[in-house]
Amino acid sequence: MAVKKKFPYRSALVACNGGCHVQEGQSCENGCIGCGICVSVCPFQAIAINENGVAEVDEAKCVACGKCVRECPKQVIHIHECANYIVVRCSNKQNGKEARQVCSASCIGCGICEKTCTAGAVKVTDHCAVIDESVCLSCGMCVVKCPRHVLTDLRGIIC
């Protein structure tokens, strides 16, 4: 189904890398659990569960209708501006030590990204980086400096 997207282009984003090492029978406290609810409610088939067991959105198909955002039981999906390529792939709320014990790909709130961002777009809130997309220049300096690779470039240019 082809759908014309409206400007400014927006898409859903899952704020989780899928690096949890949660014990069998438990669920991740702060990240995507791969339950598939978002996949089932998406009318555009823009969401799939990836190899890490977390939901992943295809920006080309997503029209930012918000159904997945409303239905996500973990509230890890939000709408973002597609023009901003730099995103935070974590929704952690635990301090660094606790976060490291549960997830190998979680934000530990070290603040390196916040100190690196010359635009002042990155802030650490509740032990997790948050990007103000209205200020972000998408320069990628935070991505380069992030020791846990939580901040990522959706284009795949900056590693």
Side-chain angles (χ1 to χ4, degrees):
M1 169 172 27
V3 175
K4 186 173 180 179
K5 295 180 84 156
K6 295 179 184 174
F7 184 82
Y9 304 116
R10 292 186 177 108
S11 175
L13 175 77
V14 180
C16 183
N17 268 326
C20 293
H21 302 292
V22 177
Q23 300 289 334
E24 187 72 31
Q26 296 177 339
S27 64
C28 180
E29 200 171 307
N30 299 297
C32 177
I33 55 173
C35 65
I37 292 173
C38 55
V39 176
S40 65
V41 299
C42 180
F44 303 98
Q45 300 172 338
I47 307 174
I49 304 297
N50 69 16
E51 65 277 356
N52 292 330
V54 299
E56 189 170 45
V57 179
D58 181 346
E59 278 190 4
K61 294 180 181 178
C62 181
V63 297
C65 68
K67 287 185 180 182
C68 57
V69 175
R70 289 187 296 277
E71 296 296 327
C72 179
K74 299 301 245 174
Q75 299 177 333
V76 296
I77 305 175
H78 65 273
I79 304 297
H80 86 105
E81 299 287 334
C82 293
N84 271 340
Y85 301 111
I86 309 303
V87 297
V88 179
R89 290 278 193 185
C90 186
S91 55
N92 174 53
K93 301 288 185 253
Q94 299 171 315
N95 70 34
K97 183 179 180 183
E98 292 171 356
R100 273 192 216 107
Q101 290 174 348
V102 177
C103 182
S104 63
S106 69
C107 182
I108 57 172
C110 67
I112 293 172
C113 54
E114 189 172 358
K115 293 173 191 153
T116 303
C117 182
T118 57
V122 185
K123 301 284 185 228
V124 175
T125 307
D126 294 329
H127 308 291
C128 190
V130 177
I131 297 176
D132 180 348
E133 292 184 341
S134 67
V135 179
C136 181
L137 304 173
S138 291
C139 69
M141 289 308 299
C142 57
V143 174
V144 172
K145 296 291 185 175
C146 181
R148 307 272 292 173
H149 307 289
V150 171
L151 286 101
T152 58
D153 179 356
L154 293 176
R155 299 168 295 183
I157 296 172
I158 304 169
C159 297

